[in-house]
Amino acid sequence: MKRLLLVICLFIVFPTQSVEIDPSNQLEVNITRVGPVFQIKMSYQIELSLCNAFAFITDYENMKKIAGIKEIKVKSRKGNKVRVERVMEERVLGFPIALYSEEEFTEVSSQRLSFEQIQGDAKYYKGTWNLTPIRNMTKFDYESQFELDSFIPNAVINYFIKNSIQSRFEQMVQLAKYVETHPYSACQ
C-alpha cells in the first residue's frame, strides 16, 4: 500500500516533462500543467514534402494505427471543416479507461490545421498543427490545451500524460517515415 501511494505521489509531483526523443527527427515533446489545464507542445521534422505532410496530418482515419486509439472515423466534411469522432482506450494502473471525443478540424491552409473538441469526455480540448518547409524537410509543430473532467483522479491523468502522449508522438513520426517511402498519390 505504501508503495502504491509513493507511485501516485510521484505522478503528482512531476507534472511537467520535456524530453528530446529521436535526435534524427528532432522530436521534442513538452508537457506543462497549469492547475487543471495541460499544455502540450510537440515538434519534429522529417524528410517529407509539404504536400505529403499535410496529407498525412489530414488523413484522420489513418491515425487508428496509433496504439490507444480504439476507433476513429470522419463523421462529415463541409468545405474546409471536418468532424472526427474518436475513442481512445488506455489501461492505467490496471484499469481500462475509455475517452470519447468529437472534434472539428479546420483545414486553414496547406500549412495549418486547427481543431477543437465539440463534445466528449474532456472539459475542453483544442489546438493547432503548423507545417513549415525547411529545405527538403517539413517541420511539424503541434500545440494543444486540454482539461479532463474531474471524475478522473489526478494520478491517473498524470500517468496517462507521462506514459501515453509521448509514445503516440513517437508512433506518429514512424507513420510519417512510412509516407516518406510511400507518398500520397495526390502529391506525386
Side-chain angles (χ1 to χ4, degrees), residues 20-173:
E20 188 173 327
I21 302 164
D22 183 349
S24 67
N25 296 110
Q26 298 177 1
L27 175 61
E28 197 172 307
V29 180
N30 186 331
I31 303 168
T32 307
R33 185 171 183 181
V34 179
V37 178
F38 286 90
Q39 297 174 330
I40 299 173
K41 292 184 179 183
M42 181 279 308
S43 68
Y44 67 90
Q45 59 188 35
I46 192 163
E47 193 172 313
L48 204 57
S49 72
L50 185 59
C51 179
N52 276 301
F54 190 72
F56 171 68
I57 65 168
T58 57
D59 187 359
Y60 306 103
E61 292 179 348
N62 189 43
M63 297 304 162
K64 67 184 164 196
K65 295 176 182 173
I66 295 174
I69 298 179
K70 185 176 179 181
E71 296 175 33
I72 189 165
K73 67 180 176 180
V74 172
K75 288 186 72 172
S76 68
R77 288 181 185 270
K78 292 180 184 166
N80 68 338
K81 304 238 184 233
V82 181
R83 288 243 174 148
V84 176
E85 185 176 63
R86 177 172 50 187
V87 177
M88 298 174 62
E89 189 173 80
E90 289 292 326
R91 283 201 147 320
V92 179
L93 304 174
F95 299 100
I97 294 177
L99 296 172
Y100 168 82
S101 69
E102 184 177 326
E103 298 149 20
E104 182 173 82
F105 289 81
T106 303
E107 298 171 353
V108 179
S109 71
S110 63
Q111 292 183 249
R112 183 172 170 79
L113 176 69
S114 63
F115 60 89
E116 185 169 359
Q117 176 183 280
I118 303 303
Q119 62 180 339
D121 292 330
K123 284 187 179 177
Y124 77 90
Y125 173 50
K126 63 181 176 180
T128 59
W129 280 97
N130 288 294
L131 303 173
T132 307
I134 304 172
R135 293 179 292 280
N136 62 338
M137 303 184 89
T138 298
K139 182 178 181 195
F140 291 73
D141 287 301
Y142 168 91
E143 289 188 25
S144 70
Q145 302 82 39
F146 68 92
E147 180 180 352
L148 294 177
D149 263 331
S150 58
F151 75 89
I152 301 173
N154 280 336
V156 172
I157 293 170
N158 286 332
Y159 180 88
F160 168 76
I161 297 300
K162 183 178 179 185
N163 294 296
S164 296
I165 289 182
Q166 197 162 304
S167 171
R168 287 198 176 107
F169 286 129
E170 290 172 347
Q171 291 174 46
M172 283 189 77
V173 170

